[in-house]
Amino acid sequence: MHFLHRICIVLSVASLIGVPLLAQAQDGKPRLIRFGYGLNENSNQGRAVAAFAEQVEKASGGKMRVQAIGAAALGSDTQMQQAVIDGEQEMMVGSTSTLVGVTKEMALWDTPFLLSNTKEADYLLDGPIGQKVLDRLQERGLVGLVYWENGFRNLTNSKHAITHMEDLGGIKLRVMQNNVFISSFQTLGANAVPMPFTELFAALESKTVDGQENPYNTILSSRFYEVQKYLTLTNHVYSPWVVVVSKKWWDKLSTVEKKVLTEAARASREFERQDTREEATKALAKLKDKGMQISDLSPGELARMRGKLTRIYALIGSNIGMNLWIETQVELMKIRAKK
Ligand code: TK8
């Protein structure tokens, strides 16, 4: 009794102090934001969602609370996208590639070898081209806040070392669920199998597929090295993630609340890219330590692959529209001329 009484006093004092600090959303409770993501908590994605959550709580004085829900507990990228569009979930971060089914312009970021380094990536994603693609999400019920870095993608498999294009023949390779990825790897000779990320580890383990492609950080944080022996440094595409908000929900927010989210998203972008890049410099050595066998591609071999993949450009052009494709090439020429 005595103990309970003390708890009651503590709670009521806390709520007295809490009232002025936590100026609440209309119903008296802090606004709850369910923010879903696919990778583990202990990944560059998980760390960045946590940083975003902290910033939102701080900047809103506790009026807005972000509940970070990782490891695809709310579903795969495409399932979460639908929930966010329907207003059943407030936010998520996932690959731009899985958004192609929603907004076809996102296929731009799937262009093999479009970007050669992170400087070009930041320039294009944070500039007018990146914004244009983000804006297209609105008509589909999503508000795109910022791009985060997933990273340059590299190839792993459990069958044999891949050092030549022909080595891809007969490899069952999981790809993200869109036609540019499927066609790209078919063009290189692999048997491309579209599959959600959530099913990937089990599929690699049971050898339903032989390989996959993702940045080093993900190969490490998702423990793919346990079921994949060979890693080839292909860097075949720079993969962004995109932080999106449900438009249905966004439209109900006050200007101040929108500002809190926009600014926290900007800050999280800086945090995430720095963290991702730092981790990427160490991840390759760690994967080697875990027993992965690492192969390079010779410049000649890389050139052969790039050459073969140019036929995919027409497909991307028709997906995203020729204007956007040309504008992108012009922007890239600008940054390349700056050097
Ligand atoms: C995580 C995915 C992942 C992506 C993929 O949900 O599917 O391979 O690279 O990061 O978005």
Side-chain angles (χ1 to χ4, degrees):
M1 231 9 225
H2 184 60
F3 178 62
L4 277 180
H5 184 65
R6 274 178 53 188
I7 288 189
C8 286
I9 293 173
V10 170
L11 284 180
S12 51
V13 170
S15 64
L16 277 179
I17 300 170
V19 170
L21 289 180
L22 311 176
Q24 296 89 347
Q26 304 89 319
D27 58 358
K29 289 190 219 119
R31 236 191 228 290
L32 189 65
I33 305 164
R34 285 160 298 184
F35 190 150
Y37 62 95
L39 299 190
N40 298 323
E41 208 177 310
N42 185 16
S43 67
N44 52 336
Q45 201 177 49
R47 288 189 292 274
V49 177
F52 173 81
E54 207 185 302
Q55 177 65 27
V56 169
E57 291 213 33
K58 214 170 102 190
S60 69
K63 277 190 265 177
M64 302 171 89
R65 265 199 50 221
V66 177
Q67 193 182 355
I69 309 168
L74 293 178
S76 66
D77 279 10
T78 50
Q79 287 166 333
M80 286 196 283
Q81 283 154 20
Q82 200 49 55
V84 174
I85 290 170
D86 294 342
E88 287 159 9
Q89 180 183 328
E90 290 75 26
M91 290 185 72
M92 69 166 288
V93 61
S95 176
T96 52
S97 308
T98 47
L99 264 176
V100 171
V102 173
T103 295
K104 54 188 186 346
E105 287 82 359
M106 285 286 163
L108 172 61
W109 313 121
D110 296 331
T111 311
F113 302 106
L114 179 72
L115 300 162
S116 12
N117 54 52
T118 53
K119 205 174 147 203
E120 288 180 6
D122 295 353
Y123 177 83
L124 210 60
L125 288 160
D126 302 344
I129 299 285
Q131 192 56 47
K132 200 173 225 178
V133 176
L134 276 187
D135 289 346
R136 299 313 300 262
L137 290 168
Q138 295 249 0
E139 67 215 46
R140 301 289 170 161
L142 296 170
V143 178
L145 292 184
V146 282
Y147 295 100
W148 287 354
E149 175 162 300
N150 186 351
F152 281 98
R153 301 179 81 91
N154 290 286
L155 202 75
T156 69
N157 85 96
S158 56
K159 275 196 148 170
H160 51 241
I162 292 175
T163 53
H164 293 88
M165 194 164 23
E166 287 69 21
D167 299 332
L168 275 165
I171 296 276
K172 268 193 265 161
L173 189 81
R174 175 270 178 175
V175 294
M176 290 186 282
Q177 311 97 293
N178 83 44
N179 65 353
V180 176
F181 263 89
I182 298 170
S183 302
S184 294
F185 282 99
Q186 275 172 348
T187 301
L188 293 177
N191 178 358
V193 184
M195 179 187 286
F197 187 83
T198 38
E199 292 166 26
L200 183 51
F201 188 92
L204 292 169
E205 194 173 34
S206 64
K207 303 237 158 56
T208 306
V209 290
D210 307 311
Q212 63 88 43
E213 42 81 53
N214 253 295
Y216 305 143
N217 301 29
T218 302
I219 300 170
L220 193 63
S221 66
S222 293
R223 309 179 78 87
F224 289 158
Y225 55 81
E226 288 179 359
V227 286
Q228 298 280 274
K229 175 84 181 155
Y230 305 98
L231 168 61
T232 308
L233 311 188
T234 49
N235 289 306
H236 51 274
V237 69
Y238 175 91
S239 197
W241 280 320
V242 59
V243 177
V244 296
V245 184
S246 167
K247 188 166 185 317
K248 266 193 181 167
W249 178 75
W250 177 262
D251 288 343
K252 291 187 225 149
L253 298 180
S254 70
T255 320
V256 176
E257 287 173 315
K258 284 179 187 162
K259 192 161 171 255
V260 166
L261 293 182
T262 310
E263 283 175 4
R266 286 262 161 83
S268 74
R269 178 176 72 193
E270 302 318 306
F271 169 89
E272 195 272 348
R273 287 191 186 150
Q274 197 182 338
D275 179 53
T276 298
R277 286 165 195 176
E278 272 168 29
E279 190 189 32
T281 59
K282 296 176 220 145
L284 188 58
K286 286 190 187 159
L287 291 172
K288 211 169 180 177
D289 281 353
K290 301 282 185 194
M292 288 196 93
Q293 191 185 307
I294 322 270
S295 310
D296 269 324
L297 285 178
S298 70
E301 205 48 39
L302 213 52
R304 273 183 77 213
M305 287 193 186
R306 291 177 79 130
K308 196 114 200 228
L309 285 167
T310 50
R311 72 174 63 156
I312 300 296
Y313 295 171
L315 172 67
I316 298 165
S318 70
N319 269 5
I320 68 168
M322 244 7 199
N323 284 347
L324 183 59
W325 178 257
I326 291 164
E327 283 166 35
T328 304
Q329 300 308 322
V330 170
E331 282 299 305
L332 280 173
M333 265 151 54
K334 274 194 217 159
I335 181 157
R336 285 171 187 161
K338 270 189 190 165
K339 277 178 203 155

